[in-house]
Amino acid sequence: MDTLEIVVLAILQGLTEFLPISSSAHLILPSRLFGWDDQGLAFDVAVHVGTLAAVIIYFRKDIQQLVTRWCVTGWTRNPDSDARLAWYVILATIPAGLAGLLLESWIEENLRSTLVIAITTIGFGLLLGYSDIVRKERLTLVNMTLTIALVIGFAQMIALIPGTSRSGITMTAALLLGLHRVDAARFSFLLSIPLIVAAGGLKALELVQSVAPVDWQALGLGVLISAISAWVCIYYFLAFISRIGMLPFVVYRLLLGGILLLFFV
């Protein structure tokens, strides 16, 4: 990989990991437009490390509070709101984690096509728009329930289908269930941490077992750029989402899906 490829792909990974616009749709475009090869396993590990670092740094105070209260009251009969939220993140992660272990290979072989990515980019984009239009913002993270958390967790399973967008489908479910936009986004971002850890860990294990040479300088640059772009994405998304809503992302997804259908299918 040359420097331009590293920069472009790391920025795309950092932004699309958290924006509701589908990372699969974006990562397929450079290869089709410029004839770039697959970035490889080592680079996948690097950008996972970068995005994980970004979300942990941004939510470091929240994570510290959740872990502390989970350890203190999470195992009692009356956990406080932070301990409950920690449990919700843990339990909501399980459905997608299990589905990933069981179905990832089948999905990679059968659903990772440009046509599928284009259709899901458009379809789930429209669903995101619908959820934003009909939303009834009556809940925050403090008063959400286990049922709501689990429904969001099961919705996250759908993100295994390329083009869906993990953050997009979890925010869609959260909005339909009554969470405020900012709370829907915050829960989606917190929910991403265990999955990024799991996905990055599995890829790192594959990398350790691989005999392919590793370009450590390229990996370091990928980690840095993906971390910066992901942090900037989280910061500005949370700062403006209550005002701009989901419509810009819906329009963008429709345009992106249309381009894929017209020119690459």
Side-chain angles (χ1 to χ4, degrees), residues 10-69:
I11 290 174
L12 283 177
Q13 179 65 38
L15 294 178
T16 59
E17 183 70 46
F18 299 110
L19 290 180
I21 53 177
S22 171
S23 60
S24 300
H26 288 80
L27 294 177
I28 201 174
L29 279 176
S31 63
R32 296 300 176 89
L33 288 173
F34 308 117
W36 292 352
D37 294 328
D38 181 84
Q39 61 263 35
L41 180 60
F43 192 77
D44 276 348
V45 173
V47 293
H48 273 85
V49 170
T51 53
L52 177 63
V55 72
I56 288 177
I57 291 171
Y58 188 91
F59 288 106
R60 62 191 182 279
K61 294 181 180 178
D62 301 70
I63 295 169
Q64 181 180 10
Q65 180 72 5
L66 292 179
V67 171
T68 300
R69 300 311 302 167

Side-chain angles (χ1 to χ4, degrees), residues 1-12 43 221-222 225:
M1 297 175 67
D2 60 31
T3 303
L4 177 61
E5 290 180 60
I6 294 169
V7 171
V8 170
L9 292 174
I11 290 174
L12 283 177
F43 192 77
L221 184 59
I225 294 175

Side-chain angles (χ1 to χ4, degrees), residues 14-199:
L15 294 178
T16 59
E17 183 70 46
F18 299 110
L19 290 180
I21 53 177
S22 171
S23 60
S24 300
H26 288 80
L27 294 177
I28 201 174
L29 279 176
S31 63
R32 296 300 176 89
L33 288 173
F34 308 117
W36 292 352
D37 294 328
D38 181 84
Q39 61 263 35
L41 180 60
F43 192 77
D44 276 348
V45 173
V47 293
H48 273 85
V49 170
T51 53
L52 177 63
V55 72
I56 288 177
I57 291 171
Y58 188 91
F59 288 106
R60 62 191 182 279
K61 294 181 180 178
D62 301 70
I63 295 169
Q64 181 180 10
Q65 180 72 5
L66 292 179
V67 171
T68 300
R69 300 311 302 167
W70 182 74
C71 292
V72 173
T73 72
W75 301 90
T76 67
R77 291 187 177 183
N78 296 302
D80 59 24
S81 58
D82 287 320
R84 284 198 303 272
L85 181 57
W87 273 119
Y88 294 163
V89 171
I90 293 169
L91 296 174
T93 301
I94 294 173
L98 291 176
L101 288 174
L102 296 173
L103 300 174
E104 183 179 18
S105 297
W106 184 88
I107 290 172
E108 285 287 332
E109 294 173 4
N110 296 277
L111 297 181
R112 198 167 187 81
S113 68
T114 306
L115 177 60
V116 170
I117 292 172
I119 292 173
T120 52
T121 297
I122 293 171
F124 287 107
L126 291 172
L127 186 59
L128 175 65
Y130 173 78
S131 71
D132 200 44
I133 292 171
V134 303
R135 76 188 189 283
K136 295 180 180 178
E137 297 179 319
R138 62 183 186 276
L139 298 173
T140 66
L141 293 182
V142 173
N143 51 24
M144 73 181 294
T145 65
L146 175 59
T147 300
I148 290 174
L150 289 176
V151 171
I152 296 171
F154 278 102
Q156 189 171 229
M157 291 171 56
I158 303 172
L160 292 170
I161 303 173
T164 301
S165 169
R166 191 210 59 81
S167 59
I169 195 64
T170 52
M171 290 182 207
T172 296
L175 290 172
L176 290 173
L177 292 167
L179 265 72
H180 288 262
R181 283 172 175 160
V182 173
D183 291 280
R186 291 182 75 86
F187 189 70
S188 174
F189 294 157
L190 289 172
L191 200 56
S192 73
I193 295 173
L195 286 183
I196 296 176
V197 170

